[in-house]
Amino acid sequence: QVQLAESGGGLVQAGGSLRLSCAASGSFFSINAMGWYRQAPGKQRELVARITSGASTHYADSVKGRFTISRDNAKNTVYLQMNSLKPEDTAGYYCNTDLVTIATRRNLKVWGQGTLVTVSS
């Protein structure tokens, strides 16, 4: 069993900042990539940012230069620092972890429950 605990969402004015956190808990052999996705009502879920086990990062063009993803491997936690927030950033944000199971070394993708980010104009 693996669970992702997300926190940090909320209401913020345009231009403000938020930091999202996602901590993985349970039994697993290792964690590979971790990332954040977002989804607004009526829209497809889109990748916001990803970070590999080697700390290589990828960002959606819409957030590049404003958001920063990082991870603390000792805590099995990934963060998303969101600066210069815009109303179009409003969405549910979902943590994702690519991990390897203990028994079979099987690759799994685990999703968090989501945390809502609302940016007012």
Side-chain angles (χ1 to χ4, degrees):
Q1 180 187 0
V2 179
Q3 292 184 331
L4 303 180
E6 302 172 326
S7 63
L11 175 64
V12 65
Q13 293 185 356
S17 298
L18 286 173
R19 189 176 78 154
L20 306 183
S21 299
C22 175
S25 62
S27 299
F28 47 85
F29 177 76
S30 64
I31 295 177
N32 296 321
M34 305 182 76
W36 291 93
Y37 292 71
R38 67 186 181 187
Q39 186 171 27
K43 303 290 182 62
Q44 294 189 60
R45 185 170 297 187
E46 64 173 345
L47 173 67
V48 177
R50 296 281 286 177
I51 184 167
T52 68
S53 60
S56 178
T57 59
H58 172 80
Y59 297 93
D61 289 340
S62 59
V63 307
K64 195 172 300 181
R66 299 188 297 120
F67 292 9
T68 302
I69 189 170
S70 61
R71 63 190 289 170
D72 185 336
N73 291 333
K75 298 180 179 180
N76 294 321
T77 300
V78 62
Y79 305 94
L80 185 67
Q81 179 66 47
M82 304 185 294
N83 298 326
S84 302
L85 283 163
K86 304 175 180 179
E88 50 263 45
D89 295 319
T90 297
Y93 284 71
Y94 298 85
C95 178
N96 172 259
T97 298
D98 298 320
L99 58 85
V100 179
T101 62
I102 294 176
T104 63
R105 303 295 189 268
R106 183 166 66 96
N107 294 320
L108 289 177
K109 186 181 294 291
V110 181
W111 292 91
Q113 294 295 106
T115 182
L116 181 62
V117 172
T118 303
V119 184
S120 62
S121 60

